Amino acid sequence: MLTFNANSRLNKDAVIVFLTEESAKSKKWNFKNLSLSKDILQVISAKQFLANEGEQFPLVRGKQVCLLVGLGKRSDVTKTSLRTITSQAVLSPFLKKLKSIDIVAHEQNEATIIGIIEGILIGGYRWEKYIAKKSAVLSKSICILSVSKKIYIDTIASCAGVNLTRDLVNDNADVVNSNTIEKTIRHIVSGKKNISLKILTEKELKKKGLNLLLAVNKGSKYPPKLIIVNYRGSSKKGDYTAIVGKGVTFDTGGLNLKPTGYIETMRLDMGGAGAVIGTLKNTISLKIKKNILFVCGVVENAIGPNAYKPGDVVKSYDGKTVEVANTDAEGRLVLADALSYLVKNYKPARIIDLATLTGACVVALGYDYSGLVSSDDNFAKKVLAAANDTDDRAWQLPSYNGLKDHLKSQYADIKNTGLPKGAAGTMSAGEFLRQFVGKTKWAHLDIAGTAFVAGPSRMYFGYGATGAGVRLLTDLLKNKL
Ligand code: BES
Ligand code: MN
Ligand code: ZN
C-alpha cells in the first residue's frame, strides 16, 4: 500500500532518505527545512556516505533502519536514475523484513514525486505468480512525505494500468488467449455509460473480409477477434484518436517456424494489445476527456494442418492482394486489416498503433527505446514529447515513399517482407502498415525491444513485461492531443 502524509514523525520500521551529493556536502535536508539528524551528520562527516548515485547506507536506530540513499550530483539525476534508485531502495536487502516505510524525497516538485511513485510501483513489480517465494515489495506499507493528492492519486492509477499490461503479457499464452483478453476488456468497461464495445467474431470477420487477420489465426484453436472499444470522454464530435495493438497471443513464426532461442518468449507478442488494455484502464480511472477508440487485433500464429502457408496470396480488407512471403511477418498482416477497417468504418482523426513487430527494432535501437515510424511529423513530435516526459522512451526512424519499392511482389499487389534481411526491417514493416492507413495521420510504435526483459534486469524493470507504451499513451491522450 502506498500513502502520503505531510507530517510523519518518521517513526516507522524504516525511513528512506534520498540525498544528492550537494545535500550531503551542505549537510542540509530539503524536507521542511529540517536539519539532518545527528547520526546522519556523523556518517556524512566521516565520509562513510557520499550520496553517490545508487549508494546505500543503513543506519540502525534500535528497531528502526534509516536507509540513506544517494542520487549522485543533482544535475545528473534523470527520470530513469530516480526511478531505478528508488526501486533499488525499496527492494534493498537492508529493508527486507521491514513492513512500514517512510520516504523522504530530496525535492518536492511534481516530476520528483511522480518518479518516486513510479520507482516504487513500477520498479517494485515482480512477476511472481508461479514462484512460491515472493519478494512482496508491493505488500509493504510505504508512505511518501508530503505530496499533492492529485499527483499521488493520478500516478498510482496510471501505474495500475502499466502493471495490468505486465500481468497480461507475462502469463502463459494459453492463460491469456483471445477469449480471456475479451473477458478482461469486458470486465474493464462493464457498467461504464460512455463506453460501447464492438467485437468482430470469426463469422463477422469472414463476412467483412478481414482475410489477413484471419489467415494468421488459421492454425490456432482459439477464435480470432477484432475488439473495438469506443470511449467517449468528450462531447466534441468527430475528433477520435484510435490506438491499435498487435495482439498475437503466441508467435511460433508459423510454418516459417522460429528456432530455439527466439521462440521461448513469444507470449510477449500481444504486448501491443496489452498496452492498449492498460491504457484503456488508465483512461477510465483518470477520466480522460477525449474520444478514443481502443482496438485490439487478437490472434495466435500457430502451426498445424490448418496454418496459412508461405507463398499464399491473401486478399486484404482494403482490397489489395498480399503475398505472404514469410508467415513470421504476421503482425503487420493483423494490423493492416485492423487499420484499414478503422479508417473505412470509423474515420479517426489520427491513429497510433503499437506492436512487438520486428526483431530488427532490437538491432536498431536495443531495449530502452521503442521505434517510432510516422507519416505525420507534427503527430510524431507529440508522441516523442510524451515518450520523453514519461520515461517510456521512443526514437523516430525515417518513413518515405521510396521504401514502398521493396514491398513489390511478382504475383500480388504487395508482399509482407521488405528489404533483404538485416536491412531496415523496422522501417519496411512500418512502410507496409502505412499502405493501409490512407491519408489518416498515423504513428507506429515498434515495442519489440522495450516490451519485455528476457535477460538480466534493466533499468527499474525485473524479468518479464515492462508495460512499454502505457505511460506514453496515457500522457499522449491526457496532455498532448
Ligand atoms: N513478433 C516478432 C518480432 C519480435 C522479435 C518481437 C523479437 C520481439 C522480439 C515478429 O512477428 C517477427 O517475427 N518478425 C520477423 C519479421 C521478418 C520475418 C520479416 C522478424 O523480426 O524476424
Ligand atoms: Mn512473427
Ligand atoms: Zn510477431
Side-chain angles (χ1 to χ4, degrees), residues 37-55:
S37 57
K38 212 171 145 201
D39 55 353
I40 298 180
L41 287 174
Q42 275 172 352
V43 168
I44 291 175
S45 302
K47 298 210 174 358
Q48 285 175 299
F49 176 77
L50 301 170
N52 293 337
E53 186 174 328
E55 191 182 352

Side-chain angles (χ1 to χ4, degrees), residues 246 248 251 258 266 269 328 330-331 356-357:
K246 169 179 173 182
V248 175
D251 181 12
K258 284 187 185 294
M266 280 303 140
D269 218 16
D328 199 10
E330 84 297 338
T356 47
L357 204 63

